[in-house]
Amino acid sequence: MLTCQELKHTILFMFEPTVYQERRSRLVERLQRAGVTSGIVLFPSNGESPINYPDNCYPFRQDSNWLYFVGLNVPNMLLMLDVSDGKPTLFADDITMDDMIWTGPMESVADLARKSGITDVQPLGAASSRVEVAISRRESFYCLPFYRAETKERLSLLSGLSPRQLEASISAELVDAVISIREIKEPREIAELEKAVVVSEAMHQALLKQIRPGWTGYEAAALVQYEAQKHGCGLSFATIATNHGETLHNHSYDYVAKDGDLVLLDAGAEVESGYAGDLTTTFPVGKSFDSHQAQIYDLLCNVFLDATSALAPGKKFIDVHRAACLSLAQGLKEIGIMKGDPSMAVECGAHALFFPHGLGHMIGLDVHDMEALGEDRVGYGKTMHRSEQFGLSALRLAKELQPGMVHSMEPGIYFIPGLIEKWERDNAFPEFIDYNELRRWKDLGGMRMEEDWLMTPTGARRLGPAFDKSRKAIENWRSRA
């Protein structure tokens, strides 16, 4: 039976039922082609996660694979998909009259199931009986990796399978089949991603227009969240709004902005359908960049243009990443911070002092799409392997780009004092880094520029309306603030 917290959820967005039927059919076909011709796929929906007592929960977020193959934004359901014939069975309970007093009327489970193209509906309590029948027939069970311990525990209680049995049911074939389907976005998905980018841009532009000296990080983050919610959206991840962009995932808002600071805003919207946007903008708190900031920001813009120009269908994303790294090393050499052969510097990893992360990641129903299935499995596939070199080891997406893939492009340039001091103490790459010159720059902070891109059969297309982030355009925004 659904609890008071669970009953808050309503079905606000779904594609037509045939979409989910067709996706499940494709999944079964992929499994059968991989040699999995019988057995049961177990898809548990997410449940609520209490903050400090059962009826006070974190905001509910449905499992993304469930949203993709079932679509129902309701907690505590279970789908069993028969691989032999593709038949889905939904296990869930209707609310009681007592529940309805607190929540108001809700659709029956049968009515909800029809929205997903499912006709076989059973009570949650019948799931274990169905599993017993499958075991008696010597059928196998297939699960995706569990990223919430409570999901595995709940599925164990519902199915009668032990946690160890569920772990043993995690299927590489199922993971690969899901990735191969979800990584190529349908036109309806691209439309939702465009919506997410449009709202994400509004979030960034609101802060770009309004921040002033004296603002706190809390005010900046609150404005960004307000802009998302004003458009009926949530956040696709916790907002980064910081004057210390050299800390890559800085979620501290305990600062007061002052003239001369740079603000790095990394924020995105999640639209009603669950699809995500992910943008980063760097800008001055005052009216303009200072001379050092301007040089590095101009270089960042050049790196971004060189990287996006390298995008093409059939090209490996790791090669696009390397193009960005080479552009960075060449630019830092022109400034005088790096020296020597830029190509050799990139090959050795010397540039990673200033760019210690990857160029991008896939985006979809997750802001780092499908990473719950395994980051390397999603970003590298079966044949490529992650480098152990510092910086390159953080690259989340490396494999060949195909039409329909959506990914971020997010080069950055960072001056991390502790890392600079360590490399100088260790005399790392003295043939490529001029530490005497670098000391003049090491307190500059960090900058990043990020946009979301779709690969098409003819080339890459930036999602969302035009958002000029050249230095001149950013300073024009700030001069009107």
Side-chain angles (χ1 to χ4, degrees):
M1 182 174 67
L2 303 178
T3 70
C4 296
Q5 282 292 315
E6 292 156 354
L7 292 171
K8 294 185 300 184
H9 306 290
T10 54
I11 304 301
L12 299 175
F13 180 96
M14 287 188 71
F15 298 118
E16 56 271 25
T18 53
V19 170
Y20 304 102
Q21 291 174 319
E22 193 271 338
R23 288 172 175 177
R24 293 190 294 264
S25 294
R26 276 193 289 149
L27 179 62
V28 169
E29 289 170 6
R30 299 285 174 100
L31 287 171
Q32 291 179 346
R33 287 207 301 266
V36 180
T37 57
S38 64
I40 304 294
V41 177
L42 301 175
F43 276 119
S45 74
N46 273 347
E48 294 280 5
S49 291
I51 299 172
N52 53 353
Y53 58 89
D55 277 346
N56 185 29
C57 297
Y58 292 101
F60 178 72
R61 177 48 160 87
Q62 185 60 280
D63 176 74
S64 295
N65 291 304
W66 178 276
L67 284 178
Y68 189 86
F69 291 106
V70 183
L72 298 171
N73 193 31
V74 177
N76 288 358
M77 290 183 163
L78 173 63
L79 181 78
M80 292 189 186
L81 185 64
D82 193 318
V83 179
S84 62
D85 58 13
K87 181 181 177 181
T89 302
L90 182 68
F91 294 86
D93 292 336
D94 286 313
I95 66 170
T96 68
M97 187 60 68
D98 288 343
D99 295 325
M100 197 177 298
I101 294 171
W102 294 94
T103 66
M106 287 187 65
E107 293 178 276
S108 68
V109 171
D111 287 340
L112 292 174
R114 279 191 283 272
K115 295 177 184 291
S116 185
I118 299 171
T119 56
D120 186 4
V121 178
Q122 303 290 332
L124 271 174
S128 59
S129 298
R130 176 66 182 86
V131 169
E132 288 176 5
V133 171
I135 291 174
S136 70
R137 295 174 179 172
R138 298 182 181 276
E139 293 183 279
S140 298
F141 297 93
Y142 304 100
C143 297
L144 293 172
F146 298 96
Y147 57 92
R148 287 188 181 183
E150 65 261 32
T151 300
K152 182 167 61 175
E153 181 180 2
R154 184 165 49 84
L155 182 55
S156 176
L157 292 172
L158 286 174
S159 66
L161 297 170
S162 70
R164 181 173 294 182
Q165 286 174 304
L166 291 175
E167 283 290 334
S169 299
I170 294 174
S171 165
E173 293 83 4
L174 178 59
V175 168
D176 290 340
V178 169
I179 292 172
S180 69
I181 295 171
R182 281 187 56 189
E183 71 181 359
I184 306 301
K185 303 298 184 280
E186 305 161 9
R188 60 176 63 84
E189 294 182 275
I190 294 167
E192 292 301 306
L193 286 162
E194 291 269 18
K195 292 178 188 177
V197 172
V198 168
V199 177
S200 300
E201 287 194 3
M203 294 156 60
H204 283 247
Q205 291 170 358
L207 188 61
L208 184 55
K209 288 188 293 186
Q210 297 185 47
I211 195 169
R212 304 283 195 285
W215 273 48
T216 68
Y218 295 103
E219 290 174 282
L223 175 64
V224 169
Q225 183 161 359
Y226 164 76
E227 196 69 27
Q229 292 183 321
K230 185 176 78 173
H231 290 89
C233 297
L235 300 177
S236 55
F237 57 96
T239 296
I240 299 169
T242 180
N243 64 339
H244 283 287
E246 73 278 8
T247 303
L248 301 185
H249 281 178
N250 191 343
H251 293 110
S252 172
Y253 307 132
D254 189 18
Y255 69 88
V256 178
K258 62 182 185 297
D259 201 355
D261 281 352
L262 289 176
V263 170
L264 185 152
L265 175 63
D266 191 340
E270 182 179 283
V271 294
E272 191 178 54
S273 57
Y275 288 86
D278 185 8
L279 308 180
T280 305
T281 311
T282 307
F283 51 89
V285 173
K287 302 297 183 183
S288 61
F289 296 93
D290 69 27
S291 59
H292 273 193
Q293 292 168 350
Q295 288 185 72
I296 298 302
Y297 191 81
D298 287 345
L299 172 56
L300 178 63
C301 291
N302 289 336
V303 172
F304 187 86
L305 289 174
D306 288 343
T308 55
S309 297
L311 290 169
K315 191 165 188 175
K316 290 180 178 177
F317 193 76
I318 192 171
D319 293 330
V320 182
H321 172 83
R322 289 189 176 112
C325 296
L326 180 59
S327 177
L328 172 68
Q330 290 170 336
L332 289 175
K333 180 179 178 180
E334 291 173 8
I335 292 172
I337 296 172
M338 295 190 72
K339 58 187 179 179
D341 182 347
S343 298
M344 289 297 297
V346 170
E347 184 177 338
C348 295
H351 69 286
L353 175 61
F354 311 99
F355 183 29
H357 64 76
L359 183 64
H361 52 80
M362 286 202 274
I363 302 174
L365 281 168
D366 311 296
V367 69
H368 288 181
D369 207 25
M370 300 181 286
E371 283 190 12
L373 302 179
E375 190 173 288
D376 286 6
R377 202 94 185 186
V378 173
Y380 287 75
K382 296 180 181 179
T383 59
M384 297 185 68
H385 301 283
R386 187 182 293 256
S387 170
E388 295 183 358
Q389 185 185 80
F390 177 75
L392 189 57
S393 63
L395 182 63
R396 289 186 167 98
L397 175 60
K399 67 186 181 183
E400 183 178 300
L401 296 170
Q402 302 177 54
M405 286 184 175
V406 174
H407 59 85
S408 70
M409 292 287 284
E410 49 182 308
I413 306 176
Y414 310 93
F415 295 85
I416 306 170
L419 185 61
I420 291 170
E421 291 163 8
K422 182 182 186 307
W423 279 37
E424 185 172 11
R425 279 197 311 271
D426 296 343
N427 197 30
F429 303 113
E431 68 275 33
F432 298 122
I433 300 171
D434 187 332
Y435 288 103
N436 289 327
E437 177 64 20
L438 180 54
R439 290 190 200 102
R440 299 176 54 237
W441 298 78
K442 75 173 187 176
D443 295 324
L444 186 142
M447 303 181 183
R448 184 162 63 252
M449 181 181 295
E450 180 179 15
E451 305 291 345
D452 304 334
W453 289 71
L454 165 70
M455 185 55 63
T456 76
T458 57
R461 177 173 74 81
R462 181 187 171 279
L463 295 181
F467 185 6
D468 186 357
K469 292 186 180 179
S470 66
R471 177 161 60 92
K472 181 179 179 181
I474 292 294
E475 291 180 338
N476 283 339
W477 278 96
R478 294 302 299 143
S479 67
R480 301 194 300 269

